[in-house]
Amino acid sequence: MARPTPLSGFPEWLPADRIVERHIIDTLASTFELHGYAEINTRAVETIEQLSRKGEIDKEVYAVNRLHAEPGEERNPLGLHFDLTVPFARYVVENAGKLVFPFKRYQIQPVWRGERPQDGRFREFIQADIDVVGDGELPAFFEVEVPLILAEVFGKLRDIGVPPMTIQVNNRKLLEGFSLGVGIDDVSGVLRALDKLDKIGPDAVGQLLADECGANDEQVRLCLALAQIEGDDASVVDDVRALGVTHPLLDEGLEALAGLMTAASERAPGAIRAQLKIARGLDYYTGTVYETVVSGHEDLGSVCSGGRYDNLASSGTKTYPGVGISLGVTRLMSRLVGRGLVSAGRRVPTVVLVTVADEDSRADADRIAGQLRARGISAEVSPNSSKFGKQIRYADRRGIPYVWFGSSDGDQVKDIRSGDQTDADANAWTPPSEDLRPAISAT
């Protein structure tokens, strides 16, 4: 058989790396549930019409069709979902009569995106989303709650060696109101230009504002001055006011940003930072927007982003405004694993390897392993009855910390890391709590 050719953009982790990923996912899920978010899953496919409702995504969607259609069978244009927000909006509309609003959900699933694979970017990857959706209206304080929950997650991940992460925030109303206030009607053009600031620099952005939005020198100066404003508290609002631009929509955006930054500076100091150059490219955002960078790894780009959307979920007669944020689990994992920043203490979840003296005693070994498992201790039986030295070496290669020896005279368990061996009863013995699961730590 020919050696298979790997497919770029479709990561497959080794078992030890998957243990790290599983820990991150479990941390996300448990934290979301602490705040009252219920888990849902949505189907992998949506209609192309649904996927293309908001934003230009034709180049990103993988189309799905049967390889061999039956004669006369109509081909339903389906595509794999490229994020979890669009499917969630459809889910809310379809199930609105069965949901209690505000509806708080979390979702951790693979998504697929047809883009060129590169560092931190994949064609198949896991996203973890939380969203809150209201029926007709949604209080602004949820725009504060959502990023603070992610900040709590990041604090927990610090405990296993994940570098600090900062959530950068802005408000689309602020940007739109400022653009209109300086006299630029092409608001979308301003947002597109500012969104490229980190990639192409202020001079190039200024040229875009002039060429594509018709901005004069003073308008360019003001827009670039706005984009340079940042801070950890509500004082950024005063910095914007000092530019002398006024507009009712700008006032709304500043009020929302002030509320968020005041709460963040009190409840999660340093975790959330206002960055007024952030615009977020997707068309459906209407209020607060979020992006997240990993300290020391800014080249990775945003690993967690989202924002407020008021018009994405609509049944025609009803609108369901929402706010959400999404963490790219696979993007974060690629840096943690690729740079060796975090690792699992062992390759497998197994705590104990039960030895087999000879094949006639395998049933006894299976019984011991079953007793340990019944008490929540991961155990496996040696695959062969070779000399105990070889069985111990097998456990060592697998990263299993304990080896069990059964005997009619009484069982014993050995910690192969220290060499300590003690009498043990499978109905009573328990390893130290730190050995029950593979430890995750900074490398």
Side-chain angles (χ1 to χ4, degrees), residues 297-365:
H297 302 271
E298 289 78 7
D299 61 304
L300 185 61
S302 180
V303 297
C304 181
S305 56
R308 170 87 182 222
Y309 49 90
D310 286 316
N311 306 307
L312 182 61
S314 175
S315 63
T317 58
K318 276 191 173 185
T319 299
Y320 303 94
V323 59
I325 196 166
S326 172
L327 173 68
V329 175
T330 306
R331 173 176 283 198
L332 179 60
M333 272 292 298
S334 69
R335 183 54 58 97
L336 298 179
V337 171
R339 299 286 176 88
L341 302 177
V342 176
S343 63
R346 59 182 191 258
R347 299 184 181 91
V348 295
T350 311
V351 178
V352 182
L353 177 75
V354 182
T355 61
V356 179
D358 54 58
E359 290 304 319
D360 291 339
S361 64
R362 182 169 291 277
D364 292 333

Side-chain angles (χ1 to χ4, degrees), residues 351-352 371-378 401-402 404 413 415 417 422-437:
V351 178
V352 182
Q371 291 172 315
L372 292 167
R373 293 175 193 137
R375 299 175 46 246
I377 301 170
S378 176
Y402 295 94
W404 194 282
V413 65
D415 183 337
R417 298 163 300 184
T422 59
D423 295 336
D425 180 347
N427 289 314
W429 178 82
T430 299
S433 59
E434 60 268 22
D435 287 334
L436 282 172
R437 295 289 301 165

Side-chain angles (χ1 to χ4, degrees), residues 55-369:
E56 179 61 45
I57 47 79
D58 291 348
K59 295 180 180 179
E60 295 186 350
V61 173
Y62 280 111
V64 177
N65 286 299
R66 292 182 61 193
L67 187 60
H68 300 290
E70 298 294 333
E73 178 183 345
E74 181 181 355
R75 291 207 165 200
N76 188 15
L78 299 176
L80 294 171
H81 56 224
F82 63 92
D83 74 358
L84 298 178
T85 305
V86 172
F88 175 58
R90 186 266 310 160
Y91 177 95
V92 168
V93 172
E94 289 184 1
N95 295 283
K98 304 172 185 176
L99 303 176
V100 177
F101 295 94
F103 177 52
K104 302 167 72 171
R105 84 81 165 89
Y106 79 89
Q107 193 171 348
I108 304 174
Q109 283 185 242
V111 300
W112 295 267
R113 196 168 293 176
E115 59 182 359
R116 183 173 64 85
Q118 51 187 298
D119 184 23
R121 291 187 177 274
F122 302 92
R123 291 169 172 163
E124 179 182 28
F125 51 97
I126 294 176
Q127 283 192 183
D129 285 26
I130 56 170
D131 286 80
V132 188
V133 169
D135 183 354
E137 61 181 10
L138 184 71
F141 62 77
F142 284 116
E143 296 177 50
V144 179
E145 175 180 291
V146 165
L148 286 175
I149 292 173
L150 265 296
E152 184 176 329
V153 170
F154 298 156
K156 293 176 180 179
L157 294 181
R158 289 288 306 278
D159 294 339
I160 64 166
V162 176
M165 288 181 271
T166 303
I167 302 173
Q168 301 173 336
V169 302
N170 198 0
N171 193 287
R172 290 286 280 263
K173 290 181 179 179
L174 186 161
L175 291 171
E176 294 176 23
F178 192 90
S179 300
L180 295 172
V182 299
I184 303 177
D185 294 329
D186 185 4
V187 172
S188 296
V190 173
L191 296 179
R192 286 194 302 271
L194 293 181
D195 205 37
K196 298 176 181 178
L197 188 60
D198 285 339
K199 293 181 180 179
I200 64 176
D203 292 341
V205 167
Q207 195 62 51
L208 281 177
L209 290 170
D211 295 344
E212 298 184 6
C213 306
N216 59 37
D217 290 346
E218 179 60 11
Q219 291 168 330
V220 168
R221 184 189 71 79
L222 287 169
C223 288
L224 291 177
L226 176 73
Q228 293 172 359
I229 294 174
E230 58 182 87
D232 295 327
D233 55 37
S235 64
V236 294
V237 172
D238 297 329
D239 295 336
V240 177
R241 297 283 190 203
L243 296 177
V245 177
T246 59
H247 192 276
L249 194 58
L250 173 61
D251 293 337
E252 290 184 34
L254 288 173
E255 181 180 357
L257 183 62
L260 170 56
M261 295 310 301
T262 298
S265 60
E266 293 175 354
R267 295 167 55 185
I272 297 177
R273 185 171 180 81
Q275 290 269 13
L276 302 197
K277 62 186 176 183
I278 294 172
R280 298 292 300 144
L282 292 173
D283 295 339
Y284 51 68
Y285 292 123
T286 56
T288 305
V289 288
Y290 319 103
E291 289 189 350
T292 305
V293 295
V294 182
S295 297
H297 302 271
E298 289 78 7
D299 61 304
L300 185 61
S302 180
V303 297
C304 181
S305 56
R308 170 87 182 222
Y309 49 90
D310 286 316
N311 306 307
L312 182 61
S314 175
S315 63
T317 58
K318 276 191 173 185
T319 299
Y320 303 94
V323 59
I325 196 166
S326 172
L327 173 68
V329 175
T330 306
R331 173 176 283 198
L332 179 60
M333 272 292 298
S334 69
R335 183 54 58 97
L336 298 179
V337 171
R339 299 286 176 88
L341 302 177
V342 176
S343 63
R346 59 182 191 258
R347 299 184 181 91
V348 295
T350 311
V351 178
V352 182
L353 177 75
V354 182
T355 61
V356 179
D358 54 58
E359 290 304 319
D360 291 339
S361 64
R362 182 169 291 277
D364 292 333
D366 287 336
R367 175 184 53 79
I368 292 169

